Amino acid sequence: LNVKQLFFAEFADSNSYNGKEVRLIRDKAGFYFMTGAGFKNVYVFIPVESGLKLENKILVSELGLNSPIVNQKSPNIEIIDGSKKYLLNSKGIVR
């Protein structure tokens, strides 16, 4: 999975991915959620033939995530970043 474009979108530098990790999880509806340390957004993808297509970009932190952990909280996805928790679906943050 090539994540250079995500790093460019987040940091305006496609080379900033070296040595970095992304977090990826799939929900029960088949959407893939991807984020990483320093990211301000969670990217939502749908599967397409031979890859993934961006479906949505969800702003979760203006300052960027420090060390996000992703969990399945059916039917949603939970992002835990220290003491902050975000509950998401493919449309955005669930209130």
Side-chain angles (χ1 to χ4, degrees):
L1 184 61
N2 189 339
V3 295
K4 283 184 183 181
Q5 290 180 345
L6 289 181
F7 280 90
F8 187 79
E10 286 291 320
F11 307 112
D13 179 7
S14 62
N15 291 320
S16 65
Y17 73 95
N18 286 328
K20 304 270 177 78
E21 295 180 355
V22 293
R23 302 286 184 231
L24 175 68
I25 193 168
R26 182 180 160 277
D27 72 2
K28 291 190 178 212
F31 291 96
Y32 290 85
F33 295 75
M34 192 178 304
T35 194
F39 280 44
K40 295 178 181 180
N41 301 288
V42 174
Y43 295 85
V44 182
F45 295 91
I46 57 172
V48 294
E49 188 174 327
S50 71
L52 297 173
K53 177 183 172 191
L54 182 64
E55 179 74 10
N56 196 6
K57 180 170 88 170
I58 304 166
L59 177 66
V60 292
S61 173
E62 287 287 344
L63 301 175
L65 299 167
N66 291 315
S67 184
I69 299 168
V70 295
N71 293 313
Q72 184 81 250
K73 288 288 183 179
S74 192
N76 301 305
I77 297 297
E78 178 183 55
I79 307 286
I80 301 170
D81 189 42
S83 62
K84 296 178 183 172
K85 292 184 182 182
Y86 308 93
L87 200 57
L88 308 172
N89 63 28
S90 63
K91 304 283 187 223
I93 297 176
V94 177
R95 304 273 175 202

